[in-house]
Amino acid sequence: MLKEFHQHPRVTVCCQVIPILLRVYFDTVLECGETSLLSELVPVLIERAGLLYGTTLYHQDVRRIFVEGLLNIFKAHPNILIDQQADILEFISTLRNASDKEDFFIHILWVIGEYLSPMYDTRCLPEVISSFYSALECIAYELSSSLPTQYSTMPHSCRLVTVMITAMSKLASRSQDLIPRVLLCLTKLEQQVCLHVPADHASVLHARTTELVNLLKVPNVASALLSPDADIDSGKLHKDSMSTPVLLHFIHDVLNSQQL
């Protein structure tokens, strides 16, 4: 019945005004809100991202604002990831949540890979990392097993897959007991997904998978590159003996020597 009112003048006006008010709200909350308030806001955003009424354009605008707000919240308070781990794990454990709000889902995966680290919260123990990794691994295998017949189109984007495997690799670099599992998962996922995406997407996925697998074969280098210090913006990683360029040259030489 509500579909009949999608084009109603009042609905149209609301769809134009609400994004503006949301931006003001997020700017105010991020500037003045306490961590506890921002923490309580995260599960609300996750829930509301799938309960929007109005036009498709309105959905896109609101979800874009939600994503921007979510990224700013976690950038300012990475510890919220641990505070709200139950709701976040529940959300990412169902691949269906990526069906109609894939961009929002992708950014949640990116946040996990970026901020789930002892560097940001001492409560981020190996058990916590393992629980998040297991959730990502499950949806990776779910995606692989749900693929249609060979050479038909995959229901999810290649971007989702690359962000997911990158997040999994980052978690494995912080809890190295997970490395054998992620190596196996990456190899299987690439073999399955590449059959269902265009050639250019398949080449990107193959390159990313190969890059991550090669890094994880040298755990210490993977840890330095996939989980750099929080002060990376200071330029430190380009100045000392453990700089990113030096490490990249090192891993390149090691891999070449193994092939000879």
Side-chain angles (χ1 to χ4, degrees), residues 116-134:
L116 188 68
S117 169
M119 179 171 53
Y120 295 109
D121 195 324
T122 55
R123 296 174 297 169
C124 188
L125 302 173
E127 295 79 10
V128 175
I129 294 176
S130 180
S131 65
F132 275 91
Y133 174 82
S134 295

Side-chain angles (χ1 to χ4, degrees), residues 208-240:
R208 176 61 62 87
T209 303
T210 303
E211 174 186 277
L212 293 172
V213 168
N214 287 338
L215 280 175
L216 291 170
K217 286 180 179 178
V218 189
N220 291 337
V221 177
S223 178
L225 294 179
L226 296 177
S227 302
D229 292 335
D231 60 353
I232 185 173
D233 293 334
S234 67
K236 172 187 174 183
L237 297 185
H238 296 277
K239 297 176 182 177
D240 59 22

Side-chain angles (χ1 to χ4, degrees), residues 95-103 105-106 139-161 164 189 192-198 201:
L95 189 60
R96 185 177 63 254
N97 287 329
S99 298
D100 59 346
K101 45 185 179 293
E102 184 173 285
D103 190 62
F105 193 88
I106 287 173
I139 62 172
Y141 283 124
E142 181 183 349
L143 187 150
S144 176
S145 63
S146 64
L147 290 173
T149 57
Q150 191 174 17
Y151 302 116
S152 55
T153 304
M154 186 176 70
H156 300 286
S157 70
C158 186
R159 178 170 169 243
L160 170 64
V161 179
M164 179 168 57
L189 194 62
Q192 292 290 327
V193 172
C194 283
L195 298 176
H196 302 274
V197 296
H201 291 184

Side-chain angles (χ1 to χ4, degrees), residues 18-63:
I18 288 176
I20 299 173
L21 296 178
L22 277 175
R23 290 189 184 279
V24 174
Y25 174 77
F26 278 114
D27 289 343
T28 304
V29 168
L30 286 165
E31 182 178 352
C32 306
E34 297 180 353
T35 304
S36 58
L37 173 62
L38 295 172
S39 180
E40 294 174 0
L41 189 58
V42 169
V44 175
L45 293 177
I46 292 175
E47 180 183 8
R48 295 301 300 176
L51 299 174
L52 297 176
Y53 177 74
T55 64
T56 301
L57 183 60
Y58 169 74
H59 290 185
Q60 294 172 350
D61 288 342
V62 171
R63 284 180 183 146

